[in-house]
Amino acid sequence: MAITIYDVARDANVSMATVSRVVNGNQNVKPSTRRKVLESIERLGYRPNAVARGLASKKTTTVGVIVPDISTSFYGELSRGIADIATMYEYNIILSNSDERSERELELLVDHLGKQVDGIIFMSDSVSEEVREEMSRAPVPIVLAGTIDTEEQFATVNIDYEQAAYESVVKLIENGHKEIVFITGPLSRDINRVHKKAGYERALKEADITIREEFMIEMEDTYDAAYESWEKIQQLTVQPTAFFAVNSTLAVGVLNGVRDAGHSVPDDYEIICYEHSNLTRIVRPQLTAAVVPLYDIGAVAMRLLTKLMNEEEVEEKQIQLPFHFAERDSLS
Amino acid sequence: MAITIYDVARDANVSMATVSRVVNGNQNVKPSTRRKVLESIERLGYRPNAVARGLASKKTTTVGVIVPDISTSFYGELSRGIADIATMYEYNIILSNSDERSERELELLVDHLGKQVDGIIFMSDSVSEEVREEMSRAPVPIVLAGTIDTEEQFATVNIDYEQAAYESVVKLIENGHKEIVFITGPLSRDINRVHKKAGYERALKEADITIREEFMIEMEDTYDAAYESWEKIQQLTVQPTAFFAVNSTLAVGVLNGVRDAGHSVPDDYEIICYEHSNLTRIVRPQLTAAVVPLYDIGAVAMRLLTKLMNEEEVEEKQIQLPFHFAERDSLS
DNA sequence: ATGAAAGCGCTAACAC
DNA sequence: GTGTTAGCGCTTTCAT
């Protein structure tokens, strides 16, 4: 049996309450008894039981993190930002993968809440109705990181994806392009449909460029799908001269498809994308991209959550972080 | 205040014990009362409090995962394997990053143990003496995933890194190479020094090839360091014709260094490496590599941990998984 | 500054 | 098959 607070109390000749005060840094303890207690703790090797503490205090200093897939660099980077700030504020993290399946997200929400987490960071590509309801009922604060809430109901941390898309496409247009293909993951995702596609279209409209339906190349969100999309792109009735991709994985897939087919980037085709990983710097040519500050989004989301859990006043619950462009070689 | 087991008991006109039995699937409950209880649970929206359960039962169905950096594809993939099996056996995961700092690892061990985890999966590049001691004292089982234990004291899951290194270098030798550079991360890490370097040297020795000290190119474990190492490689008194790299990130760095300097792979230089990510398939030429089954290592480690937590007999605590080679284009 | 005592919400004997 | 009753190890009033 492990050493309990009671053993320490007896050993130090004080009450449990005093030991508790010492352990929790309460100032109302005479220095000499504090020393005595500390000495007993040390000698007995006492470690507070966080579960008992959690039951008594109704705080677990644990937050739930629900993420589609921790093995992707996108969510890995985001999660690292979350974890670092969590550590800073002495929270532990319960991390679970949802694979973006709404039912699974629901289960995880209930599961984490059952574990009495003090707050939740939620990441996904869309917030389903059932998930929204469950989150609305949650007794603890929830922050969405890198995740769109179309209803603007929850606290969120993002960049202005629409604006980033717009500026990306403007760069292409300024380079003389008129036939620009939009390389996108599933348009069922709010972020692709409501934000990125919208920015793309705004730029084209503003430049009086025809928006072609066949230029919306929608695919599964994988490198291989993007690589193979080159097949489809070749069949287009109007041939494009540039690509705007919603993330670096898709961009690299298209890049390799184009290059393996014997074409040159940026001579034959120019490419711009959102940057979600260092892939953009590793491929040749290196890709010009709108850099999404994933680590920071995670960090700010966690910081916001600590404030919410602390019931501090927050001025703005929908945070937009700045983004910037990394000018590289896929655009001349 | 949330609904408790007591509220349900009162509502269903039974005792707490009966509610507990129903919730925990105990068979000793008459179907009709079970139904009655379930109905109350449903109506009141009762959710068991896992913290209270943990305190009473001394089991939290939570395991601690200590990882150097979740944002790397290596540990991301490993962690995903762990998480999936954890989910399968209904465990939650507390995930913490150590940045490979031994003092931090120590803190995390103590921290997780304080949270009363039922077991721990530990990942690192070496097991320090203090960490070894703390782990030896731990009251719950611990499994090392993708992590060397030179003392063979703990349960581990790995591949035979030495053999993979050996076979990699043999491939190079069979292709006629005699001047083969070893591109490695810090040799302070057991895995690099004790296993990978040893395999490299065994292959050379067996072929009666001189082992040159200057061919051990040690560097920080980053793409940029590897990219810049090309500078150093050029200065070597004997010029190499091939590279064996301890991971795909370093291999790609060298590859880009070589190619950006105007040389060709595999015509001027051949490259082989351990594969830790899909980078090997994305670069051009694609890299031939010894594929490390990261997901499986994580999954098997977690499965092993469930057995240990269950006090089941396990035949072998030092598990070696098979590996294979992906033959691609960096070797002709 | 310190102690006594009542819970926190649940599990697990044990009794019936 | 069901109920009673101790705890699990801690925090937190409330006294003193």
Side-chain angles (χ1 to χ4, degrees):
Chain A
M1 197 85 280
I3 309 297
T4 73
I5 199 171
Y6 180 70
D7 300 318
V8 176
R10 198 157 28 111
D11 184 86
N13 251 299
V14 297
S15 72
M16 294 166 52
T18 299
V19 178
S20 177
R21 290 191 186 95
V22 171
V23 168
N24 293 298
N26 187 315
Q27 285 310 303
N28 291 338
V29 183
K30 194 168 19 154
S32 68
T33 64
R34 171 186 306 282
R35 227 184 323 279
K36 198 172 53 175
V37 170
L38 251 17
E39 206 261 323
S40 288
I41 287 178
E42 174 69 20
R43 186 152 36 72
L44 300 181
Y46 168 70
R47 312 257 198 236
N49 178 325
V51 173
R53 176 181 290 179
L55 183 60
S57 70
K58 301 184 163 298
K59 296 221 162 310
T60 54
T61 61
T62 300
V63 305
V65 175
I66 295 174
V67 65
D69 182 1
I70 191 60
S71 70
T72 63
S73 67
F74 183 87
Y75 289 112
E77 200 60 47
L78 222 33
S79 299
R80 186 62 214 260
I82 293 167
D84 283 357
I85 304 303
T87 297
M88 191 170 298
Y89 287 88
E90 307 200 272
Y91 283 97
N92 283 112
I93 276 177
I94 292 186
L95 193 289
S96 305
N97 300 93
S98 68
D99 288 315
E100 282 172 24
R101 293 174 34 237
S102 178
E103 329 83 78
R104 180 79 185 123
E105 291 172 342
L106 217 57
E107 282 176 23
L108 289 175
L109 242 14
V110 171
D111 178 27
H112 286 196
L113 258 13
K115 291 261 173 166
Q116 312 301 116
V117 295
D118 295 336
I120 290 178
I121 302 271
F122 183 85
M123 294 170 263
S124 186
D125 271 301
S126 308
V127 177
S128 74
E129 230 7 89
E130 310 85 68
V131 166
R132 177 179 303 283
E133 275 175 29
E134 186 68 39
M135 294 204 299
S136 305
R137 270 199 299 274
V140 297
I142 296 181
V143 175
L144 312 197
T147 299
I148 300 297
D149 171 18
T150 48
E151 310 280 314
E152 303 195 347
Q153 174 186 354
F154 303 108
T156 56
V157 182
N158 285 293
I159 65 164
D160 187 340
Y161 304 105
E162 197 274 349
Q163 180 67 17
Y166 169 80
E167 292 181 27
S168 297
V169 175
V170 164
K171 280 181 193 288
L172 256 15
I173 294 171
E174 284 173 353
N175 272 16
H177 296 284
K178 285 191 163 12
E179 314 302 348
I180 303 170
V181 154
F182 177 49
I183 301 287
T184 183
L187 286 172
S188 55
R189 298 179 185 172
D190 295 333
I191 194 170
N192 291 333
R193 189 183 63 259
V194 182
H195 296 253
K196 299 184 176 180
K197 185 172 177 223
Y200 162 81
E201 293 183 340
R202 176 156 68 97
L204 295 187
K205 248 177 227 149
E206 200 177 279
D208 271 330
I209 295 175
T210 315
I211 295 175
R212 303 181 192 277
E213 254 325 301
E214 67 164 358
F215 275 9
M216 313 289 170
I217 311 280
E218 181 180 357
M219 63 194 74
E220 194 195 340
D221 208 345
T222 65
Y223 167 80
D224 288 324
Y227 186 81
E228 285 154 21
S229 76
W230 171 244
E231 287 298 321
K232 202 194 295 183
I233 292 165
Q234 284 181 102
Q235 319 293 328
L236 261 23
T237 53
V238 177
Q239 275 301 296
T241 60
F243 302 97
F244 164 55
V246 299
N247 66 50
S248 23
T249 300
L250 294 186
V252 168
V254 170
L255 170 68
N256 280 349
V258 167
R259 304 234 313 167
D260 287 357
H263 303 288
S264 158
V265 174
D267 294 346
D268 301 332
Y269 298 95
E270 296 200 326
I271 302 182
I272 195 166
C273 64
Y274 288 85
E275 169 166 321
H276 290 174
S277 75
N278 64 355
L279 224 50
T280 51
R281 284 193 336 113
I282 284 176
V283 294
R284 293 294 180 270
Q286 297 185 43
L287 297 174
T288 290
V291 179
V292 184
L294 298 171
Y295 181 93
D296 295 345
I297 289 177
V300 170
M302 184 63 212
R303 178 65 183 107
L304 177 55
L305 185 61
T306 64
K307 289 184 183 163
L308 263 17
M309 290 187 299
N310 250 349
E311 295 183 316
E312 293 172 31
E313 270 313 305
V314 295
E315 53 300 337
E316 182 54 89
K317 292 176 72 171
Q318 319 272 332
I319 300 183
Q320 282 212 341
L321 261 31
F323 62 88
H324 72 277
F325 282 90
E327 311 280 354
R328 290 191 281 248
D329 313 323
S330 63
L331 225 116
S332 59
Chain B
M1 195 85 285
I3 309 297
T4 73
I5 199 171
Y6 181 70
D7 299 319
V8 177
R10 197 159 26 111
D11 184 87
N13 252 299
V14 297
S15 71
M16 294 165 55
T18 299
V19 179
S20 177
R21 289 192 186 96
V22 170
V23 168
N24 294 296
N26 186 317
Q27 285 312 303
N28 292 337
V29 181
K30 197 174 9 163
S32 68
T33 68
R34 170 186 308 282
R35 228 187 320 283
K36 196 171 54 174
V37 170
L38 251 17
E39 205 263 321
S40 288
I41 287 178
E42 174 68 19
R43 185 151 35 73
L44 300 181
Y46 167 71
R47 311 260 199 232
N49 178 326
V51 173
R53 174 181 291 180
L55 183 59
S57 69
K58 301 182 163 301
K59 296 224 162 307
T60 55
T61 60
T62 300
V63 305
V65 174
I66 296 175
V67 66
D69 182 359
I70 189 63
S71 70
T72 63
S73 67
F74 183 86
Y75 289 112
E77 200 60 46
L78 222 32
S79 299
R80 186 63 215 261
I82 294 167
D84 283 356
I85 304 302
T87 297
M88 193 171 297
Y89 287 88
E90 306 199 275
Y91 282 96
N92 283 111
I93 277 177
I94 293 187
L95 194 287
S96 304
N97 299 95
S98 68
D99 287 316
E100 281 173 25
R101 293 174 34 238
S102 177
E103 329 82 79
R104 182 78 186 121
E105 290 171 343
L106 217 57
E107 283 176 24
L108 290 175
L109 243 13
V110 172
D111 179 26
H112 285 197
L113 257 14
K115 292 260 173 165
Q116 312 302 118
V117 294
D118 295 337
I120 291 179
I121 301 270
F122 183 84
M123 294 170 262
S124 186
D125 269 303
S126 309
V127 177
S128 75
E129 229 9 87
E130 311 82 68
V131 166
R132 178 180 300 285
E133 275 174 31
E134 187 68 39
M135 293 204 300
S136 305
R137 270 199 299 275
V140 298
I142 297 182
V143 175
L144 312 196
T147 299
I148 299 296
D149 171 17
T150 49
E151 311 280 314
E152 304 196 345
Q153 176 186 354
F154 302 109
T156 57
V157 181
N158 285 293
I159 64 162
D160 186 341
Y161 304 105
E162 198 273 350
Q163 181 66 18
Y166 168 80
E167 291 181 26
S168 298
V169 176
V170 163
K171 279 179 193 291
L172 257 15
I173 293 171
E174 285 174 352
N175 272 18
H177 296 283
K178 285 189 164 10
E179 313 301 347
I180 303 169
V181 154
F182 178 49
I183 300 286
T184 182
L187 286 172
S188 56
R189 297 178 186 173
D190 295 334
I191 194 169
N192 291 332
R193 190 182 63 258
V194 182
H195 296 252
K196 298 184 177 180
K197 184 171 176 227
Y200 163 80
E201 293 183 340
R202 175 156 69 96
L204 294 187
K205 248 178 229 149
E206 200 176 279
D208 271 330
I209 296 175
T210 316
I211 295 175
R212 303 179 193 278
E213 253 326 301
E214 68 164 359
F215 275 8
M216 311 290 168
I217 310 281
E218 182 180 357
M219 62 194 73
E220 195 194 339
D221 209 346
T222 66
Y223 167 80
D224 288 325
Y227 186 82
E228 284 154 22
S229 75
W230 171 242
E231 288 296 323
K232 203 194 295 184
I233 291 165
Q234 283 180 103
Q235 317 293 328
L236 261 22
T237 53
V238 177
Q239 275 301 298
T241 59
F243 302 96
F244 164 55
V246 300
N247 66 50
S248 24
T249 301
L250 294 186
V252 169
V254 169
L255 170 68
N256 279 349
V258 166
R259 304 233 314 167
D260 287 357
H263 303 289
S264 156
V265 173
D267 293 347
D268 301 333
Y269 298 95
E270 296 200 324
I271 301 182
I272 195 166
C273 64
Y274 288 85
E275 169 166 319
H276 291 173
S277 74
N278 64 355
L279 224 49
T280 50
R281 283 193 337 114
I282 286 176
V283 293
R284 293 295 180 269
Q286 298 187 41
L287 298 175
T288 291
V291 179
V292 185
L294 298 170
Y295 180 93
D296 295 344
I297 290 177
V300 170
M302 184 62 212
R303 178 64 184 106
L304 176 55
L305 185 61
T306 63
K307 289 184 185 165
L308 263 19
M309 293 187 296
N310 250 349
E311 297 183 315
E312 294 174 29
E313 271 314 304
V314 295
E315 53 301 336
E316 183 54 89
K317 291 176 75 173
Q318 321 272 332
I319 299 182
Q320 282 211 343
L321 261 31
F323 62 89
H324 73 275
F325 282 90
E327 312 280 356
R328 289 192 280 248
D329 312 324
S330 62
L331 226 115
S332 60

